[in-house]
Amino acid sequence: MKLARIATLAITALAASPSLAADGPKWSGWDDELFTRATAEERFVILDLEAVWCHWCHAMEKTTYSNPQVQELLASKYLPVRVDQDANPDLSSRYGDWGWPATIVFGPDGTEIAKIRGYIEPERMQALLKAIIDDPSPGPSVGEAFEVKPSTSAFLNKEQRAELTKNYDDSYEENLGGWGESQKYIDADSLDLAIVRAESGDATAIKRARQTLDAAIALIDPVWGGVFQYSEAGSWSHPHFEKIMSFQAQYLRQYSQAYALWKDPKYLAAARNIERYLTAFLAGPDGAFYVSQDADLDHDTDGHKYYALPDGERRKLGMPRIDKNLYARENGWAISGLAAYYDVANDPKTLEIAVRSAKWVIDNRALPDGGFRHGDKDRGGPFLGDTVAMGQAFLDLYAATGNRDWLTSAAKAGDFVTTFRDDSGGFVTSKTPEGKTGVFAKPAKLMDDQVQVARFMNLLDRYYGNASYREQASHAMRYLASASSEMMRPLPGVLLADEELAVEPTHMTIVGHKDDPKAQALHAIARALPARYKRLEWLDLREGKLPNPDVEYPDLGEPAAFACSNRICSFPSFTAEELQATVKQMAKLKPTRAALN
């Protein structure tokens, strides 16, 4: 099938579209027998991978799937399957680049025929369905998956770093800020990399990070707080109004870290406005966090109308739907964002909320061997992303509190992450096979998953000094080093992982009793100091040595703080001014990534 011959039409005005048909397609769920049925009935499978919050998913429901000709074609030769991507990480990780909505068409044996990104208007859908019936050969959207043979080195070489850096730099939009031109939002890894470089004084990185952070404040709801998913039309002022946990947690963390670095009050205000939405709208009664809030109130009141209203008028009309599923991964993200905000705001209520969420996940989503389920009842799984997100959250809570129980929980999560290892390279998204035929015969390996595993396991090694954690981080990095050479798109996460494996984190240790107000004050100062890549510990000698006793600290009879870098530690600091100066001085001793090979 040649998808090039399918006409691409402009998106029609939704107001002129037919109303939702009561007898739409007969949707099925995704299950192990799907392709067995498809083969027996000689039907194609069309997967509508959607999201509860997704505006264009609702638009397709209202226009495309209510169209009689589309319904007739589906009924004749297709098995229509609808899946919530938030509830199914195995599918969302495999097709994340195609949505949302993502429309995937398979042959009866599970072979991919077409992958279509975003909204498909009725006429184009009719043409697509007819073309596949006439010629079911895979189209150009499918492409051939390349085989990744892991690199022999866990580090990028100079040429790889130079190429990835060029792609990253070229993707920056100098006029308006942000990485990418059409949709405006903060790309998480891109900003993290800019902040890391800004910490070392890189003037270009400082300009780009601050330009992007300043512009993205326009995406924060001025009434309820919380950040909208993105803005379209190459502008920061045309938002799509979905409020998704991944963005709330990311922006909360990054604005908090930006405030730590530049002490600009507008960044703290931005973080506060996201935190108040998160804790007021997405927090459940038992302490766990929900997934998202819809962009629209209903088919007749879209986000443009609704979110232009003040608080009272919004509430009179009703509340856009909140997806009240409770997933371990999303809660891990929320905990990390709240911990970052607590670090700079020092608001004990924020820490209480984060701890309550963590305890709920442990009580309700934990598996016996240290990992986590996604939801209450998973199809497939367990999934890598849930355990990595919770493991990182535990590390963030350990840094925020000094409580070693959180570090122990992080280590257990790290041990479970190793069970996702594929000895042929990288880590798989799910431990449960997705299918026996077609594309699903091979487990999915998401690049972002490899980045998160490399970074989490590396930091776990820094806290424990455990060679096995280091080896798992290197295993993920060897896969990334090879796979990234086959991809032309910007991959700032690979650069971040490479740098963190090569360079020691900013290392601060508070020595003193945890019930001593002076030690508590020093810990609060250390938490609030800027460092995207940080190892922060609290040594109370009554608890014994730290898990990684790579530095021996003296008992001076009063609380003190130490900063270490490049295997050199500072004199003790006893005040905020001394600690700030010491950390700044030790940062100068840290080698740059480029100097290491």
Side-chain angles (χ1 to χ4, degrees):
M1 182 195 65
K2 302 298 183 184
L3 290 185
R5 64 188 177 178
I6 299 176
T8 301
L9 305 177
I11 296 177
T12 56
L14 296 182
S17 302
S19 60
L20 179 64
D23 54 346
K26 294 181 179 179
W27 298 105
S28 299
W30 189 275
D31 59 57
D32 293 339
E33 302 303 317
L34 177 62
F35 290 107
T36 301
R37 296 200 312 274
T39 300
E41 299 175 19
E42 297 183 344
R43 290 177 177 269
F44 303 104
V45 172
I46 182 168
L47 170 63
D48 176 33
L49 199 53
E50 53 141 29
V52 169
W53 44 261
C54 171
H55 167 79
W56 289 112
C57 302
H58 305 329
M60 280 189 69
E61 178 73 18
K62 182 178 179 180
T63 60
T64 304
Y65 289 120
S66 68
N67 180 273
Q69 288 76 30
V70 170
Q71 292 183 7
E72 183 179 349
L73 285 163
L74 290 175
S76 68
K77 289 294 290 183
Y78 291 86
L79 284 178
V81 176
R82 175 167 284 168
V83 169
D84 174 9
Q85 65 89 18
D86 284 316
N88 294 269
D90 52 346
L91 294 175
S92 63
S93 64
R94 191 180 286 275
Y95 296 114
D97 289 342
W98 273 265
W100 312 113
T103 303
I104 320 297
V105 183
F106 305 92
D109 63 351
T111 300
E112 291 174 347
I113 296 176
K115 297 187 285 192
I116 311 297
R117 178 185 289 109
Y119 177 84
I120 307 174
E121 58 274 12
E123 295 84 355
R124 186 178 176 216
M125 179 64 85
Q126 292 173 37
L128 170 69
L129 298 175
K130 289 177 182 176
I132 289 173
I133 292 172
D134 292 342
D135 180 4
S137 58
S141 64
V142 174
E144 293 186 8
F146 61 87
E147 184 176 352
V148 177
K149 183 178 179 181
S151 171
T152 57
S153 172
F155 298 103
L156 300 173
N157 60 41
K158 290 182 179 180
E159 291 74 19
Q160 288 174 311
R161 289 205 318 277
E163 183 64 27
L164 288 172
T165 298
K166 182 179 185 303
N167 289 342
Y168 167 70
D169 289 338
D170 289 348
S171 70
Y172 191 75
E173 208 282 285
E174 297 288 351
N175 292 327
L176 297 176
W179 288 264
E181 296 182 1
S182 178
Q183 296 179 346
K184 307 305 293 182
Y185 61 94
I186 299 178
D187 178 72
D189 288 346
S190 294
L191 183 59
D192 281 349
L193 184 57
I195 287 178
V196 166
R197 292 178 173 179
E199 288 175 355
S200 65
D202 184 318
T204 298
I206 293 171
K207 173 185 176 294
R208 289 176 175 177
R210 298 204 64 172
Q211 181 185 22
T212 301
L213 287 161
D214 293 349
I217 290 174
L219 296 179
I220 297 176
D221 182 352
V223 178
W224 286 343
V227 64
F228 300 126
Q229 184 188 10
Y230 67 91
S231 180
E232 62 182 357
S235 163
W236 290 97
S237 59
H238 293 83
H240 266 238
F241 296 94
E242 302 92 348
K243 291 181 177 178
I244 307 168
M245 176 56 78
S246 60
F247 284 90
Q248 312 310 312
Q250 171 204 328
Y251 281 50
L252 177 57
R253 174 179 63 79
Q254 291 180 322
Y255 275 109
S256 298
Q257 291 167 342
Y259 176 73
L261 182 56
W262 290 296
K263 294 299 184 291
D264 189 325
K266 68 173 173 286
Y267 297 151
L268 184 61
R272 186 180 297 115
N273 282 330
I274 298 168
E275 186 267 351
R276 69 182 175 91
Y277 170 78
L278 186 61
T279 56
F281 286 80
L282 294 186
D286 296 326
F289 285 96
Y290 301 138
V291 180
S292 62
Q293 187 170 29
D294 207 330
D296 310 310
L297 180 64
D298 51 41
H299 282 325
D300 298 317
T301 309
D302 69 11
H304 294 87
K305 297 178 183 177
Y306 185 85
Y307 285 103
L309 300 173
D311 177 66
E313 293 186 35
R314 290 183 186 183
R315 293 181 187 272
K316 284 181 183 178
L317 290 176
M319 184 70 65
R321 178 184 172 186
I322 292 176
D323 182 349
K324 294 188 176 182
N325 282 296
L326 304 172
Y327 301 133
R329 180 184 63 184
E330 277 72 2
N331 274 271
W333 293 339
I335 293 163
S336 290
L338 290 167
Y341 180 70
Y342 168 71
D343 287 344
V344 297
N346 205 28
D347 183 350
K349 290 183 179 179
T350 301
L351 180 62
E352 291 172 8
I353 293 168
V355 168
R356 190 178 180 210
S357 170
K359 290 181 176 178
W360 186 93
V361 175
I362 291 170
D363 290 342
N364 294 275
R365 295 290 181 265
L367 296 167
D369 42 5
F372 293 90
R373 300 194 315 276
H374 185 58
D376 186 36
K377 295 180 180 178
D378 290 345
R379 181 207 57 76
F383 304 110
L384 177 61
D386 294 285
T387 300
V388 173
M390 284 305 302
Q392 183 61 53
F394 293 145
L395 286 182
D396 293 333
L397 286 175
Y398 173 61
T401 65
N403 185 335
R404 296 189 191 184
D405 290 343
W406 296 123
L407 187 59
T408 299
S409 295
K412 291 179 179 177
D415 293 340
F416 189 77
V417 165
T418 65
T419 66
F420 291 86
R421 174 178 173 135
D422 183 345
D423 287 337
S424 68
F427 291 75
V428 297
T429 295
S430 173
K431 292 176 67 174
T432 302
E434 299 167 65
K436 298 179 180 178
T437 62
V439 67
F440 298 102
K442 293 184 177 181
K445 295 178 187 176
L446 189 65
M447 288 288 285
D448 284 346
D449 280 347
Q450 316 308 315
V451 169
Q452 295 307 315
V453 168
R455 298 178 69 188
F456 167 58
M457 298 300 271
N458 169 67
L459 193 54
L460 200 57
D461 168 54
R462 304 295 185 179
Y463 277 113
Y464 273 96
N466 187 323
S468 66
Y469 295 143
R470 176 73 176 184
E471 202 287 320
Q472 300 299 334
S474 298
H475 184 74
M477 194 63 219
R478 285 190 290 270
Y479 184 92
L480 288 169
S482 177
S484 61
S485 64
E486 301 289 339
M487 299 183 180
M488 297 305 296
R489 65 184 176 90
L491 294 167
V494 179
L495 287 167
L496 279 167
D498 175 69
E499 181 157 330
E500 290 174 5
L501 261 69
V503 178
E504 291 184 8
T506 297
H507 183 191
M508 292 176 284
T509 303
I510 310 304
V511 180
H513 294 175
K514 291 178 179 175
D515 53 0
D516 187 319
K518 290 184 178 179
Q520 293 168 356
L522 284 172
H523 188 254
I525 293 164
R527 289 200 317 268
L529 288 175
R532 173 66 194 89
Y533 179 39
K534 180 189 292 186
R535 173 185 168 191
L536 173 57
E537 301 184 277
W538 193 340
L539 174 59
D540 186 332
L541 293 171
R542 296 173 298 184
E543 298 175 344
K545 292 183 177 182
L546 293 170
N548 182 7
D550 54 345
V551 180
E552 291 286 343
Y553 299 100
D555 183 358
L556 300 175
E558 63 175 313
F562 296 83
C564 300
S565 178
N566 199 27
R567 301 184 180 182
I568 302 171
C569 288
S570 69
F571 289 112
S573 300
F574 301 98
T575 67
E577 293 76 14
E578 289 177 352
L579 180 56
Q580 289 169 347
T582 297
V583 170
K584 197 171 187 179
Q585 179 184 16
M586 299 307 292
K588 295 178 181 178
L589 300 176
K590 185 184 296 187
T592 64
R593 174 66 185 93
L596 296 178
N597 74 351

